[in-house]
Amino acid sequence: MGESEMTTKTDGTGDEAVSRFVERFAAEMTAAGMQRMASRVFAALLASETASMTSAELAEQLRISPAAVSGAIGYLTRVGMVSRERDPGTRRDRYVLHNELWYETFTRRDQVLVRWEKVLDEGATTLGADSAAGRRIAETAEFFAFLHGEMAGIMGRWRAHKEARTG
């Protein structure tokens, strides 16, 4: 039995409940700006017991074409949310969520904030503090610097919380 043939879980949830969750979470991610098919594939991987599935399993569970799976996986791989691994003993690829997915995602976003802050600082200097555009860009750079500082604290608190929870 493949993983996509979701049997009733020990807590009583079955195929329909899992499918509803996958579609609901995918809709939320799509509303936030993520590609629709990538959202569905990501949510299916997130809801799978092993956090990994083959292309065939994803296509079967989501009732989508292999081409749709391929496009979604391509996007998810490019943004670092999924990696591709060889299924042991076969020629099939298995798509896997990263262990520290959210931590890694926000860490990468934090690095983007630093790069944006640098470019914005340069832009504010170029336009000058005496212009409306220069002040607006300087405030935007200051905002990103603030977020960067806060993100480091948030990530530290998350690590401490996770360690305390898992002991």
Side-chain angles (χ1 to χ4, degrees), residues 36 73 152 158:
R36 180 175 180 269
I73 289 295
W158 167 249

Side-chain angles (χ1 to χ4, degrees), residues 59-116:
E60 181 183 336
Q61 178 181 331
L62 297 172
R63 294 185 176 100
I64 58 177
S65 71
V69 172
S70 180
I73 289 295
Y75 171 83
L76 292 168
T77 301
R78 279 191 307 280
V79 298
M81 296 176 79
V82 171
S83 61
R84 183 182 318 239
E85 296 178 1
R86 184 65 65 181
D87 219 1
T90 73
R91 299 171 74 186
R92 293 183 309 188
D93 285 331
R94 179 163 287 281
Y95 304 105
V96 182
L97 292 181
H98 296 289
N99 285 340
E100 296 281 330
L101 171 71
W102 298 114
Y103 181 85
E104 291 174 20
T105 298
F106 279 92
T107 299
R108 279 192 305 278
R109 293 284 183 229
D110 190 48
Q111 294 165 356
V112 169
L113 292 176
V114 170
R115 291 194 314 267
W116 287 0

